Amino acid sequence: MKRKIFITVALLLSFGAAFAYFADMNGKWSAMLKGPNGDEFPITYSFKTDGTTLTGTLTSSIGTFDISDGTVKGDSLWFTANVNTMKIRNKGRYYADGDSISLRVGMRSTHTTLTRAVDK
């Protein structure tokens, strides 16, 4: 009986820790994204999590676009950036200790590291 109680408490604490872990993902994140020709340009994501659902926006020099189909599971995240008529799939990993997100963007497997944006 004590073992069942211990396991139940451990699971509840794990779920609570996981929720707190991803609550920190909310907010603005920025990076320099390398284009196909090698040029880099600034990009900003604004993320909001609600349980395992991820929503938000992507802002670049060409405008602000919605994020859809977002999911957070464990330390992994997936979402679609709806840029004009293109739907660009993104997947990444959230690193709470380093306050960064490693993100693979689109079919070309462009990789970037997002860091939490500091408001001035």
Side-chain angles (χ1 to χ4, degrees):
M1 182 66 170
K2 287 182 182 180
R3 186 174 188 184
K4 286 183 182 181
I5 292 172
F6 175 75
I7 291 172
T8 301
V9 169
L11 286 172
L12 289 173
L13 290 174
S14 296
F15 289 128
F19 179 76
Y21 183 74
F22 286 106
D24 289 338
M25 199 170 117
N26 292 319
K28 289 186 179 182
W29 297 80
S30 60
M32 295 298 287
L33 190 63
K34 189 176 283 192
N37 61 356
D39 290 341
E40 290 188 332
F41 57 94
I43 193 163
T44 302
Y45 293 87
S46 180
F47 293 128
K48 177 159 178 28
T49 57
D50 183 10
T52 60
T53 302
L54 174 67
T55 59
T57 58
L58 151 70
T59 302
S60 72
S61 59
I62 61 171
T64 299
F65 308 96
D66 289 331
I67 290 172
S68 64
D69 305 322
T71 303
V72 177
K73 183 176 181 181
D75 62 353
S76 298
L77 58 117
W78 302 267
F79 62 91
T80 300
N82 302 300
V83 179
N84 295 326
T85 60
M86 296 185 299
K87 293 188 176 291
I88 303 170
R89 288 293 297 160
N90 294 257
K91 71 178 185 177
R93 175 156 287 143
Y94 173 62
Y95 300 95
D97 292 344
D99 214 19
S100 66
I101 297 173
S102 175
L103 193 62
R104 193 174 101 188
V105 181
M107 297 297 289
R108 298 197 63 194
S109 297
T110 301
H111 180 268
T112 190
T113 300
L114 307 173
T115 55
R116 190 172 299 278
V118 178
D119 291 330
K120 293 182 180 181

